[in-house]
Amino acid sequence: AKTPRNGNLNMGFDELEIVIAGYLNPYAKGWITVSSPGDGFEIEEAYATVFQGLPFISEFRGGQWLVDFGKLNVSHTHAYSFIDRPLAHRIFLGGDGWKDQGINWNLVLPTPFYSKLSLSALKGMTFESEEAPADPLDGRYTEAPVYSGRLNIFTPIGQKGNMDIGLAGMVGRYKGRGANGTVDDTNGIRNLYAKMAAVDAKYKIRWNDYTSLTLQGEAIFSKRDLFTDHFETRNTWGAVAFADLRFRKRYNIGVALDRAQGVYENGD
């Protein structure tokens, strides 16, 4: 791109990720992802997973990670077939996806087809303001743990295809203050609630090791209390769908449709 400052050549360093992973002992693994947008480093993920020695077919995780809310959130941007995180993710989950701190339990269900249930109790970092104030009068913070869950079903379709379907939900409570000194509860602070649901589906057919087609999509529905100059509950939704054809093993071409309600209509 041509710019007044850089002329015809305009190159930039967007992000670097360093991953450190390995066994902590025969029963647990550790994973750390450190990223840099070009002006410092931050910890994207840092968690330990116990994968053996637990009852049933289950895993236990503790630390900070990308929450399995929907199908796409758990992947880093470089793993996508497209360039940026979907609009709906950036609006509802954050620019870098929903990463949070807490504990998680994954359980493979005793069904004739593969199905997995994931349950999490989280700190609720997605609700914190950028300043993360200790005083609730200066912003919002979670009042109680955020609870999230996802049910995943995987089944083969024919000889060469498979279908992956997921249903997710979350509920959280946080505090907010009315604008302009509005007093609704004590000191102008009010308990606010947020609920989100997500449905996702992925169909993939692989004709051979070099050629495959992926059809994938997900929708996020949000119901969140707001407290500015008045109290209101706002219902919004967003969705993304895409098709990706991979051929000759290293090449792919596709199309994506992306929507997030209110991106251009709502100034707030």
Side-chain angles (χ1 to χ4, degrees):
K2 184 175 181 179
T3 64
R5 180 176 180 180
N6 298 323
N8 292 325
L9 182 62
N10 184 12
M11 301 179 68
F13 178 75
D14 290 332
E15 186 174 6
L16 169 70
E17 285 190 354
I18 301 174
V19 176
I20 304 172
Y23 287 89
L24 301 177
N25 56 49
Y27 301 94
K29 293 180 180 179
W31 184 286
I32 298 176
T33 302
V34 179
S35 67
S36 171
D39 56 354
F41 288 87
E42 65 176 8
I43 296 178
E44 285 264 325
E45 297 182 284
Y47 60 86
T49 301
V50 179
F51 61 94
Q52 288 192 33
L54 298 175
F56 310 107
I57 306 176
S58 64
E59 293 182 347
F60 180 83
R61 175 184 296 182
Q64 176 175 304
W65 67 92
L66 290 166
V67 181
D68 54 344
F69 185 84
K71 184 73 174 176
L72 293 171
N73 187 67
V74 296
S75 299
H76 293 262
T77 308
H78 61 76
Y80 294 160
S81 300
F82 35 89
I83 297 175
D84 298 318
R85 281 193 176 271
L87 282 174
H89 282 227
R90 283 181 270 166
I91 295 298
F92 298 126
L93 307 180
D96 296 325
W98 181 11
K99 56 185 178 183
D100 217 326
Q101 299 174 4
I103 56 176
N104 169 264
W105 186 48
N106 277 306
L107 171 66
V108 177
L109 301 176
T111 55
F113 48 88
Y114 178 84
S115 60
K116 184 177 71 173
L117 179 65
S118 173
L119 300 173
S120 301
L122 304 163
K123 182 180 178 181
M125 294 167 62
T126 188
F127 296 110
E128 294 180 352
S129 68
E130 293 182 358
E131 295 80 12
D135 183 353
L137 290 178
D138 294 332
R140 295 176 177 171
Y141 65 101
T142 48
E143 170 71 3
V146 170
Y147 299 101
S148 174
R150 182 172 184 265
L151 175 64
N152 175 229
I153 297 173
F154 180 89
T155 181
I157 303 293
Q159 296 295 321
K160 300 180 179 180
N162 56 70
M163 176 70 77
D164 195 328
I165 300 173
L167 296 172
M170 66 79 64
V171 60
R173 186 177 81 226
Y174 58 106
K175 283 186 179 292
R177 180 191 64 172
N180 302 321
T182 303
V183 176
D184 190 74
D185 287 349
T186 305
N187 295 324
I189 305 172
R190 179 175 183 140
N191 282 328
L192 305 174
Y193 293 86
K195 300 176 182 178
M196 286 196 296
V199 56
D200 61 85
K202 176 183 178 181
Y203 172 74
K204 184 172 184 177
I205 182 169
R206 182 190 297 271
W207 292 284
N208 52 56
D209 291 340
Y210 299 94
T211 310
S212 65
L213 174 66
T214 300
L215 303 175
Q216 187 172 339
E218 65 182 62
I220 299 177
F221 305 90
S222 172
K223 181 178 182 180
R224 184 170 297 191
D225 293 342
L226 300 176
F227 187 29
T228 53
D229 56 341
H230 65 283
F231 173 81
E232 65 173 305
T233 298
R234 182 171 296 176
N235 295 284
T236 52
W237 69 278
V240 59
F242 65 92
D244 181 40
L245 175 65
R246 184 168 296 275
F247 57 98
R248 297 181 64 182
K249 198 170 186 177
R250 293 185 176 91
Y251 302 92
N252 67 294
I253 186 171
V255 60
L257 301 175
D258 199 0
R259 180 188 192 275
Q261 186 177 2
V263 172
Y264 300 106
E265 297 84 5
N266 297 332
D268 54 355

